[in-house]
Amino acid sequence: GSVVASYPYDDSPTHRLTGVYSKSADDEVFKYLAKAYASHHPIMRTGKPNCPGEEAETFPDGITNGAQWYDVEGGMQDYNYVWANCFEITLELSCCKYPLTSELPKEWENNRESLLAFIEKV
């Protein structure tokens, strides 16, 4: 996990593991939507999720092109965009995939304004 808004494409023609910006035809729209979410999230907007074991990982403006972060071949986000014209971003909301129940109210507070801003944009 991490704390970042990721946008298509997640796959690249070279299938390198990381570092390939895979631009879609609607790249600016995807960046706009990702930033709408990230800019309202207190951790995501810093671009420094500070996840255990990945402390040096950073994401400018709290967003990333999926393939630039890591290549995912056959992902749902890309499939839906290419075959159904659905505009999706992937929201990584926590360093931990399974946060404790006691942490959920804090996660809600961290994401509430981001969710509202995102809904307003879409």
Side-chain angles (χ1 to χ4, degrees), residues 5-81:
S6 172
Y7 56 91
Y9 287 120
D10 287 335
D11 194 6
S12 68
T14 63
H15 303 297
R16 280 191 22 218
L17 294 180
T18 187
V20 177
Y21 195 102
S22 191
K23 186 176 181 177
S24 73
D26 296 293
D27 195 64
E28 292 301 317
V29 174
F30 283 118
K31 287 194 291 190
Y32 175 77
L33 293 173
K35 282 181 185 179
Y37 194 97
S39 67
H40 290 85
H41 190 286
I43 298 167
M44 198 178 293
R45 72 175 165 226
T46 70
K48 298 175 185 172
N50 200 29
C51 293
E54 300 290 337
E55 290 85 0
E57 188 169 59
T58 61
F59 304 100
D61 297 320
I63 69 172
T64 188
N65 173 262
Q68 187 165 22
W69 184 20
Y70 65 91
D71 195 273
V72 175
E73 188 174 351
M76 184 65 78
Q77 178 173 267
D78 291 358
Y79 179 86
N80 285 337
Y81 174 58

